[in-house]
Amino acid sequence: MSKEDKPLDYQRRILDTKGVAQRVDLDYLKRPNRFRDLRHMLTWLAPAVAAAASIPFILGIGGGEKVFSNGPVSRSHAIFENNCGACHASLFSSVADASCKNCHDGPPHPAKSIDTGKLSSEPRCAQCHLEHQGRGIMAEVKDGNCTSCHGNLLLNGSGIKLASTRVTTFAEGKHPDFPALKKIDARPLKLNHAVHMPLQPKTIRNMKLPMKCGDCHTTGLNSPKGDLMPVTFDRHCMSCHKRELEFDVYQVLGALSAPSPHTKDPETIHAHILATYEKALAANPSLPERPLGREFVPTSNPSAWLDKVVHDSESFLFDRKCQYCHEYESGSAGGSNGYPVVRKTAPVLGRFVSGNPQGEPWLTRGEFSHRAHRAVDCASCHSAAKTSTKTGDILIPKMADCTACHSGSGTHLDNCSQCHLYHNKSKESDKDRRPVRELVGSATKFTGSESSTLPSRYQRERLGAEYVTGGHP
Amino acid sequence: MIVDSTHRSWILGCTAVAMAGTAGYLGYAWLSANGPSGGSIPGLIFASAGTGLIVFECLLSLRKKYPASPLGRVSWWLRAHVWLGLLSLLLILMHSGFSWGHGLAALLMWLFAIITVSGIFGLVLQNWLPRRMMELVRREALYDQIPMVVWQLRMEADERVEFLTADLGMLEDLTEFVRAGGVKQYFDPAQKAGAAEKQQVFVDKRKAVRQIDIGDEAAGAMRAHYLEEVRPFLFEKTTPYTSKLFATADKGAAYFSHLKTILPVAAHDVLADLEAICEERRQLAVQSTLHAWLHGWLYVHVPLSMAFLVLTAVHAVISLRY
């Protein structure tokens, strides 16, 4: 076999270092690499797209600036949702108080006019009222805004007359009790809660006891907070205590007997008694012929009979019946025409204060809503009511009764703003600096007791059922 | 980048700063009446610090673009990139009061979250995949060279199969390239032409007649199996069938074991070499897959980081404006 015809030798595959290296193209970095190119393209494209997409939002095209909002505005400000400039009036600065005061007055702290303290520094509106926190109520500020000062009131204010100068949280022992607990209710009435709500059930004059709280204490239907309506004789007492108005001491009237009117005017009562007996005498002229009471001899004539029964009936009524509940001014015969003068007990809503027919609120620094607590049993807060025997007993619950539910719940129910107001609402005015009180007064009619002065907010809220608003919120 | 003992100082330093920042944040959140807020002074301080770190993070691309830069070694920048990046996330969360925000702020938080998660994902892969690659890919090649190596593997397989089948009729353009590893150089053109002529004679002879005689039937079977099943696997983009056929080393061995049973013993050397070529090709495919995992996250991480930087600037300006 010639050399040319000899088959080629088959060399087995050997992968040595040199062979492997020779497979490498030294110019590979110069060749296009689609993955590397794609990454470079994306690296430039992504920021370019981001920048281009931002332009319409920056320019506010189609309300695009909304994307820069930190969150939905509060319910009350929802109308400004797409109008940032309504509040953010100046560039590169916080929302100024002037923007808020375009609509809100925001009268200064202290919350109530009775306070005399002054803040070391007045905070800005936006410092406490945070916007863009969702559709909540902006007025519900966090406790930190209050405790930042009230945690050390002596340091952060001047002229402080509050007893508690260190309130850091709403918890038992860390929040003062209601000041009302130390006050006196000098209401000239004799009311015994314990008699009306005995611990053991019983029946008196066909009336089953114990009574329920709601039998006398009802909430105003038109009151936003369900404030209690005043207890009145006609509405709440008369159904059981009607006989306290009966004056027929000799039991001579029979079917003609009519209870005396429940009034503080003794002349009216006298006229009613006289008229009743005259009517009875006219119907039965033989009445004077019978002896009266334990006497054995009848009166001499009808005139003397009439004089005696009226006198004795009035004595019976004024000396025994009226005083069952009422107190008299400086002796029972100190009034005009020898009649006693009943100490005035106007149907006050809050605490009775002599000389103030409208009374004063029990809670002077906070707000309370019976409506919000309607699911709670009355006795769970007013636990002392069932054992109270005097009108002057203060039945306001202790703070521990509140903290039992409102402390440590971790919800807004624990917040200071649930009870307390920062701004002095009584001094609030509208945009034109007209006091809101004046605006409300001009459009309302107070159908309760007539007064020369406009009804206070306290009255308006507590007399909701009797107070008619005429268009102003 | 492997997380090893060289990271200790960065970890300790960043942990110390994070703890100090957390203490500051807790104090600020405790004392703040309305809780932490991005617009408060402490909130803006956290924002400034976080944004500063983010800008530094993005400078890594520039540093890598200029390898000869005197601004520290790239490995130092990478360590800083990892740990300062995590620290910046904490600072930005403190800036936002650990809330997700709304609108653009929420978009930024989402972007930051994706960037951070993709970065952590990439770091984990970089610490795990290279070791795994060492086990799975013994015949590793430079990633960018894989198409070139695959082409050479195909050429080599063609040549070896032609010992059994003569000319396969495959015509491919010969790619000229600058070979590494040293190539015999001919300075005399006559010598170069002579060597080329000698090589051509070798090729012509191989293509003309089967150099290993295994009979017509076996040569036909070999040709069919090679062209239908083996050669399609030796392309950059393989067919699903061949990928499945050579999915693992065991499957490849089983396939060639089968060929050895149907072909004469004289062909077994060529089959053994073909098996080695296919195994190398399979390993390169595994390398490509692992490389895609190893670097794929950068397609998310880098572009989003740049977009994030732009939107952060918009957020900062607009937030200060309002």
Side-chain angles (χ1 to χ4, degrees):
Chain A
M1 185 179 289
S2 65
K3 189 179 178 183
E4 287 75 17
D5 294 336
K6 189 180 177 185
L8 296 170
D9 286 338
Y10 182 75
Q11 301 288 330
R12 286 297 306 273
R13 189 167 191 257
I14 300 172
L15 267 185
D16 56 354
T17 312
K18 186 176 180 181
V20 170
Q22 282 181 336
R23 297 194 309 197
V24 174
D25 176 13
L26 283 179
D27 289 336
Y28 74 91
L29 284 174
K30 294 177 183 174
R31 298 183 188 279
N33 182 315
R34 63 178 184 275
F35 293 112
R36 196 168 53 219
D37 295 344
L38 176 65
R39 203 172 80 199
H40 287 164
M41 187 191 72
L42 286 175
T43 304
W44 286 104
L45 187 65
V49 168
S54 301
I55 292 172
F57 296 115
I58 293 171
L59 297 178
I61 297 170
E65 58 190 351
K66 195 177 166 185
V67 301
F68 301 119
S69 167
N70 282 341
V73 295
S74 58
R75 275 185 296 187
S76 307
H77 289 166
I79 194 171
F80 304 124
E81 184 88 62
N82 295 324
N83 183 12
C84 306
C87 301
H88 299 278
S90 53
L91 297 177
F92 297 102
S93 65
S94 306
V95 173
D97 286 358
S99 296
C100 306
K101 290 184 176 179
N102 277 337
C103 303
H104 305 281
D105 181 32
H109 200 48
K112 297 290 178 184
S113 55
I114 60 171
D115 290 327
T116 54
K118 290 183 179 178
L119 303 173
S120 298
S121 62
E122 192 76 27
R124 293 188 305 109
C125 302
Q127 211 165 315
C128 301
H129 297 289
L130 297 185
E131 190 47 284
H132 297 289
Q133 302 295 309
R135 291 275 187 249
I137 301 171
M138 198 178 171
E140 285 184 348
V141 298
K142 292 187 177 177
D143 286 359
N145 295 293
C146 306
T147 55
S148 61
C149 283
H150 283 264
N152 191 346
L153 212 48
L154 295 176
L155 186 70
N156 298 306
S158 59
I160 306 296
K161 289 187 177 177
L162 290 173
S164 297
T165 54
R166 285 182 182 271
V167 181
T168 53
T169 185
F170 187 60
E172 192 173 358
K174 295 191 175 180
H175 188 283
D177 263 322
F178 294 113
L181 288 170
K182 297 176 183 173
K183 292 183 178 175
I184 297 169
D185 187 61
R187 198 178 307 243
L189 271 177
K190 297 168 186 171
L191 176 71
N192 189 328
H193 275 95
V195 168
H196 289 81
M197 295 187 289
L199 297 176
Q200 297 298 326
K202 56 184 174 181
T203 303
I204 299 176
R205 295 179 204 160
N206 295 325
M207 183 70 186
K208 288 182 180 177
L209 298 177
M211 293 176 69
K212 294 175 183 173
C213 302
D215 291 341
C216 298
H217 301 289
T218 54
T219 54
L221 295 177
N222 291 344
S223 167
K225 292 185 292 185
D227 289 318
L228 295 179
M229 298 291 291
V231 177
T232 62
F233 181 85
D234 293 342
R235 275 186 290 186
H236 302 104
C237 309
M238 193 163 170
S239 59
C240 296
H241 292 279
K242 193 176 178 180
R243 62 178 288 179
E244 313 305 338
L245 299 174
E246 290 175 0
F247 55 86
D248 186 15
V249 63
Y250 293 119
Q251 303 291 316
V252 296
L253 291 173
L256 295 173
S257 178
S260 162
H262 186 252
T263 172
K264 294 182 183 66
D265 180 15
E267 297 293 346
T268 305
I269 296 171
H270 170 75
H272 173 81
I273 293 172
L274 182 60
T276 305
Y277 281 117
E278 283 177 346
K279 193 176 174 183
L281 191 59
N284 187 2
S286 64
L287 280 175
E289 295 171 5
R290 297 181 211 162
L292 292 171
R294 294 176 181 174
E295 292 181 7
F296 297 103
V297 182
T299 48
S300 55
N301 55 60
S303 174
W305 180 86
L306 190 62
D307 187 54
K308 181 173 177 60
V309 292
V310 168
H311 174 269
D312 289 352
S313 292
E314 288 177 348
S315 296
F316 175 68
L317 194 65
F318 290 133
D319 294 348
R320 293 179 61 183
K321 294 286 187 173
C322 294
Q323 289 196 82
Y324 186 75
C325 298
H326 290 282
E327 294 177 4
Y328 292 148
E329 292 282 3
S330 59
S332 61
S336 61
N337 300 326
Y339 289 117
V341 178
V342 173
R343 291 181 65 185
K344 288 186 177 178
T345 57
V348 292
L349 294 153
R351 190 170 71 90
F352 180 88
V353 178
S354 181
N356 183 355
Q358 295 173 0
E360 286 183 0
W362 283 109
L363 307 181
T364 53
R365 299 182 190 280
E367 304 285 326
F368 179 80
S369 169
H370 273 101
R371 186 183 298 281
H373 294 79
R374 61 188 180 278
V376 182
D377 183 35
C378 304
S380 63
C381 298
H382 301 282
S383 53
K386 286 188 175 180
T387 55
S388 166
T389 56
K390 296 177 183 173
T391 311
D393 290 342
I394 306 299
L395 302 179
I396 297 284
K398 292 183 177 177
M399 199 55 68
D401 294 321
C402 303
T403 56
C405 297
H406 287 280
S407 178
S409 75
T411 67
H412 70 284
L413 295 176
D414 302 349
N415 289 358
C416 304
S417 60
Q418 282 294 305
C419 300
H420 297 286
L421 292 172
Y422 174 89
H423 298 289
N424 188 350
K425 289 282 184 181
S426 67
K427 293 181 180 176
E428 194 168 42
S429 58
D430 78 338
K431 190 178 176 183
D432 299 325
R433 296 288 165 260
R434 287 175 297 173
V436 167
R437 176 179 175 160
E438 186 180 300
L439 290 167
V440 173
S442 67
T444 57
K445 184 180 72 170
F446 185 60
T447 58
S449 61
E450 295 300 326
S451 172
S452 58
T453 57
L454 287 166
S456 68
R457 172 172 176 258
Y458 175 70
Q459 271 186 311
R460 292 201 309 274
E461 290 182 356
R462 282 158 180 75
L463 285 176
E466 298 180 358
Y467 187 67
V468 182
T469 47
H472 196 283
Chain B
M1 182 186 56
I2 304 297
V3 178
D4 53 19
S5 59
T6 61
H7 288 247
R8 186 176 298 150
S9 57
W10 279 105
I11 295 172
L12 292 175
C14 288
T15 304
V17 175
M19 289 174 71
T22 304
Y25 174 80
L26 290 176
Y28 146 63
W30 180 262
L31 294 173
S32 173
N34 290 306
S37 154
S40 63
I41 296 296
L44 290 175
I45 291 173
F46 284 124
S48 304
T51 308
L53 290 182
I54 290 167
V55 171
F56 173 78
E57 299 282 285
C58 293
L59 290 176
L60 176 66
S61 299
L62 275 179
R63 176 64 190 86
K64 289 171 84 173
K65 197 173 179 66
Y66 300 102
S69 167
L71 299 173
R73 301 179 67 172
V74 172
S75 59
W76 182 91
W77 279 72
L78 273 170
R79 286 193 287 271
H81 185 84
V82 169
W83 299 110
L84 294 181
L86 290 174
L87 182 61
S88 69
L89 174 65
L90 181 67
L91 293 174
I92 293 301
L93 285 173
M94 289 173 177
H95 159 63
S96 69
F98 288 89
S99 74
W100 215 246
H102 290 262
L104 179 62
L107 174 65
L108 283 169
M109 291 301 282
W110 275 112
L111 281 178
F112 203 12
I114 294 170
I115 291 165
T116 305
V117 169
S118 64
I120 293 171
F121 178 69
L123 184 66
V124 171
L125 289 182
Q126 286 191 349
N127 278 269
W128 177 64
L129 278 186
R131 290 168 187 154
R132 186 72 180 141
M133 197 181 287
M134 287 284 285
E135 297 167 4
L136 297 177
V137 185
R138 304 273 172 86
R139 294 290 183 191
E140 187 181 358
L142 290 170
Y143 177 74
D144 287 331
Q145 291 286 341
I146 287 177
M148 181 66 77
V149 173
V150 169
W151 173 75
Q152 292 179 75
L153 288 176
R154 189 166 66 248
M155 293 298 103
E156 184 186 351
D158 285 351
E159 289 171 14
R160 292 184 181 280
V161 171
E162 279 177 348
F163 273 88
L164 299 175
T165 63
D167 187 15
L168 285 169
M170 297 292 114
L171 294 174
E172 286 199 47
D173 293 334
L174 291 177
T175 306
E176 287 297 329
F177 60 94
V178 182
R179 291 177 184 272
V183 181
K184 191 172 183 180
Q185 300 293 324
Y186 295 95
F187 298 102
D188 181 0
Q191 270 190 330
K192 188 176 182 181
E197 188 180 341
K198 190 177 177 182
Q199 178 65 22
Q200 189 57 45
V201 169
F202 180 87
V203 171
D204 290 344
K205 188 173 182 180
R206 189 187 70 218
K207 286 181 177 293
V209 183
R210 291 195 297 267
Q211 301 299 309
I212 302 174
D213 189 14
I214 55 174
D216 290 341
E217 192 175 342
M222 180 69 215
R223 182 188 184 91
H225 277 288
Y226 177 70
L227 293 179
E228 292 295 323
E229 293 166 341
V230 179
R231 197 169 194 274
F233 187 60
L234 300 176
F235 281 84
E236 194 179 352
K237 286 185 179 175
T238 59
T239 61
Y241 170 69
T242 54
S243 296
K244 200 173 176 182
L245 197 62
F246 300 103
T248 63
D250 289 343
K251 284 186 176 180
Y255 175 78
F256 282 103
S257 176
H258 167 69
L259 284 188
K260 284 174 184 172
T261 60
I262 62 173
L263 292 175
V265 175
H268 285 195
D269 282 351
V270 176
L271 290 174
D273 288 339
L274 274 182
E275 184 180 349
I277 289 170
C278 286
E279 173 59 14
E280 191 173 351
R281 171 68 190 97
R282 190 190 64 79
Q283 291 189 17
L284 292 177
V286 172
Q287 184 188 346
S288 294
T289 304
L290 294 180
H291 186 276
W293 278 103
L294 201 55
H295 298 277
W297 60 276
L298 286 169
Y299 292 88
V300 175
H301 189 77
V302 176
L304 286 189
S305 297
M306 295 302 158
F308 178 79
L309 200 61
V310 171
L311 292 177
T312 298
V314 174
H315 169 70
V317 172
I318 296 295
S319 298
L320 292 175
R321 180 251 181 265
Y322 287 113

